[in-house]
Amino acid sequence: MFRIGKEEIDAVARVIESKNLFKINDAMHETEQCEELMREKFGVKRALLVTSGMGALASALIGMGIGPGDEVIVPAYTYIATAMAVVAAGAVPVIVDIDETYTMSAEKAAEKINPRTKCIIPVHIQGFPCAMDEIKKLADENGIMILEDACQADGGSYKGKRLGAIGNAGALSFNQFKIITAGEGGALITNDDKIYERALIYHDSSAIAFFGDQLKDVTEPQFCGTEFRTNEISAAILHQQLLKLDDILFDLRKNKRALTELIGNVCRISPSNDIEGDCGTTLPVVFKDEQSARQFSASIGVGNYLPIDTGKHIYDHWTAILEKRGAFRPEMDPFRFPENADHLPDYKNERYPVTLDLLARTVFILVDPDWTDNNIDEISQGIIKAAKGLSHLAKNEKNK
Ligand SMILES: Cc1ncc(COP(=O)(O)O)c(C=O)c1O
């Protein structure tokens, strides 16, 4: 969360005073207005507010018609929700390694494609844009859909297009830790009417037919789904957050650029697939080994961490997936469905060496949009001092 305050407080007060907190109402229409702003901002035909990023991912997969017998490719470095959404749709997640940009390697994804592969989920982790040209080429050549997980990259872009709006569908998250937030929340964006209609039914199947005229233009038949319906308070907060999004991104990028210029001669910064579209939340510094990364991390005097320490963001911590427990009741478990059972990956024994190696020798420096020039100077001095104190920085090794 970066910037939240009076505008959001006033918006919430207006909703409460209207006494209409439910999404369908005759008063404020906050959800409708927020979805309209989202469509405009992301340049998409359809936007659906839901209660979480995972809700958006699962609704999108259902909308795409993914289910038992299908394989969906996910990167080894992403929050566990990406893989769990695939299981929620009844399909099998197939894990692939990342590359030096921390995002899915299109080359490694290509090796896992087979006739069962129906979808690829590139994840714009930490706001780093995936190599969408390569992923799109791969998907087009093989007739596979793309669901962009932009949950950590609200508003970022790749070659001028917003992340989430490039593939067949995109998922955004607005939980507390994201670029914009309503405490919890998510959105599905797409240009595909069918994906939207099925997701609409799935995300609110118990209420969709009974409140308002939500199914007026929908041609897909109703089916039983689940409940990820948003509410007017969340939508009102998000509307204000969306209005702030581009300023937040502008300042994050400006500060990341300034820090990069100051420390770039001393530290090795990881490459980006599109530094202009990168969200700017994170400056990744890479080292020769984990020991150097830890030493640097402990002494730079600014918010940072080693991504290897982020638990459920790394495949080897995805216990329920690794142990193939896809549901509480075995009969409901996609890992036991006959359509899936004969092609399950051996998750526990598969290795994704780039992921574990790169994440262990990387330090993510967390950028703040509200840093002043003085803050940036001070921070850079601390970083330069820490970097010079290391005897075996990757950059120094590389330059030998
Ligand atoms: C990459 C990624 N995908 C999906 C999610 C799920 O989002 P939510 O927590 O809103 O369900 C997250 C949340 O942290 C995430 O980081």
Side-chain angles (χ1 to χ4, degrees):
M1 179 181 70
F2 290 116
R3 292 176 183 160
I4 194 158
K6 177 136 179 39
E7 297 79 9
E8 288 78 7
I9 294 170
D10 290 347
V12 170
R14 283 195 299 272
V15 173
I16 294 176
E17 278 158 12
S18 81
K19 296 195 168 20
N20 281 282
L21 278 59
F22 190 69
K23 168 180 161 177
I24 308 296
N25 64 68
D26 294 324
M28 311 296 287
H29 303 286
E30 291 290 345
T31 305
E32 269 173 49
Q33 290 183 50
C34 185
E35 287 174 347
E36 189 181 330
L37 180 59
M38 196 170 284
R39 286 196 297 273
E40 194 186 296
K41 232 177 214 325
F42 283 79
V44 290
K45 197 171 162 198
R46 304 290 205 167
L48 179 66
L49 280 191
V50 295
T51 47
S52 66
M54 171 145 169
L57 288 166
S59 303
L61 289 166
I62 296 292
M64 289 173 158
I66 303 295
D70 298 339
E71 292 184 2
V72 177
I73 296 179
V74 303
Y77 176 40
T78 179
Y79 188 54
I80 188 172
T82 315
M84 281 192 167
V86 175
V87 180
V92 174
V94 171
I95 305 171
V96 300
D97 219 342
I98 57 169
D99 64 18
E100 58 185 353
T101 67
Y102 304 93
T103 62
M104 177 188 284
S105 157
E107 212 176 296
K108 294 283 166 55
E111 289 169 12
K112 296 282 179 98
I113 289 179
N114 66 65
R116 294 181 194 269
T117 314
K118 294 288 156 35
C119 179
I120 304 183
I121 309 187
V123 180
H124 308 294
I125 196 94
Q126 296 291 136
F128 305 143
C130 295
M132 291 309 294
D133 281 350
E134 284 84 342
I135 288 169
K136 208 159 176 325
K137 184 165 176 280
L138 186 66
D140 289 347
E141 282 170 2
N142 291 280
I144 295 167
M145 287 177 283
I146 299 174
L147 167 56
E148 291 176 77
D149 181 338
C151 287
Q152 295 194 7
D154 300 333
S157 58
Y158 175 81
K159 299 195 174 171
K161 272 197 116 178
R162 296 269 192 190
L163 303 177
I166 302 164
N168 302 76
L172 307 170
S173 168
F174 309 117
N175 78 24
Q176 167 80 16
F177 312 103
K178 300 303 189 274
I179 296 172
I180 54 173
T181 185
E184 292 285 3
L188 158 65
I189 53 177
T190 183
N191 288 311
D192 186 312
D193 290 336
K194 286 281 168 242
I195 293 176
Y196 172 79
E197 286 187 9
R198 294 177 195 141
L200 183 74
I201 294 166
Y202 177 74
H203 100 289
D204 187 18
S205 61
S206 66
I208 201 92
F210 303 107
F211 292 94
D213 56 359
Q214 297 178 83
L215 295 179
K216 185 165 59 83
D217 302 318
V218 171
T219 54
E220 287 290 295
Q222 279 183 63
F223 56 90
C224 298
T226 183
E227 182 49 75
F228 297 129
R229 183 180 59 240
T230 190
N231 67 81
E232 290 286 90
I233 290 189
S234 296
I237 296 173
L238 256 174
H239 193 135
Q240 296 305 316
Q241 288 278 287
L242 270 178
L243 292 172
K244 296 178 181 179
L245 177 61
D246 288 329
D247 285 345
I248 294 172
L249 288 169
F250 181 87
D251 289 335
L252 281 167
R253 288 168 176 156
K254 174 169 66 69
N255 291 347
K256 177 169 173 174
R257 216 167 26 244
L259 192 57
T260 304
E261 274 165 23
L262 289 168
I263 70 168
N265 283 334
V266 188
C267 297
R268 186 171 154 209
I269 314 287
S270 299
S272 166
N273 291 309
D274 181 354
I275 198 63
E276 302 295 318
D278 174 278
C279 293
T281 56
T282 310
L283 182 57
V285 182
V286 68
F287 296 86
K288 179 185 169 234
D289 55 30
E290 181 170 353
Q291 192 194 351
S292 308
R294 292 214 179 272
Q295 197 180 325
F296 176 81
S297 167
S299 57
I300 62 174
V302 62
N304 77 89
Y305 61 86
L306 272 67
I308 197 73
D309 294 336
T310 56
K312 295 271 180 280
H313 288 91
I314 309 167
Y315 75 93
D316 62 348
H317 287 71
W318 299 349
T319 310
I321 301 285
L322 298 188
E323 294 181 0
K324 296 182 185 148
R325 273 195 304 280
F328 180 64
R329 284 281 295 264
E331 309 91 299
M332 298 287 281
D333 184 347
F335 289 122
R336 293 173 182 239
F337 290 170
E339 297 89 335
N340 292 333
D342 65 341
H343 63 105
L344 293 178
D346 184 8
Y347 299 119
K348 278 189 178 166
N349 290 312
E350 285 187 357
R351 291 286 167 262
Y352 310 97
V354 178
T355 300
L356 294 182
D357 171 60
L358 185 63
L359 299 188
R361 54 189 180 84
T362 291
V363 173
F364 282 166
I365 298 172
L366 301 177
V367 178
D368 191 310
D370 296 321
W371 279 343
T372 62
D373 291 349
N374 274 350
N375 292 148
I376 296 172
D377 273 345
E378 270 175 34
I379 290 164
S380 69
Q381 282 163 26
I383 292 173
I384 291 168
K385 194 165 162 228
K388 286 190 171 162
L390 289 177
S391 55
H392 46 299
L393 265 177
K395 170 145 186 133
N396 297 345
E397 289 292 318
K398 200 178 141 223
N399 291 344
K400 270 181 195 165

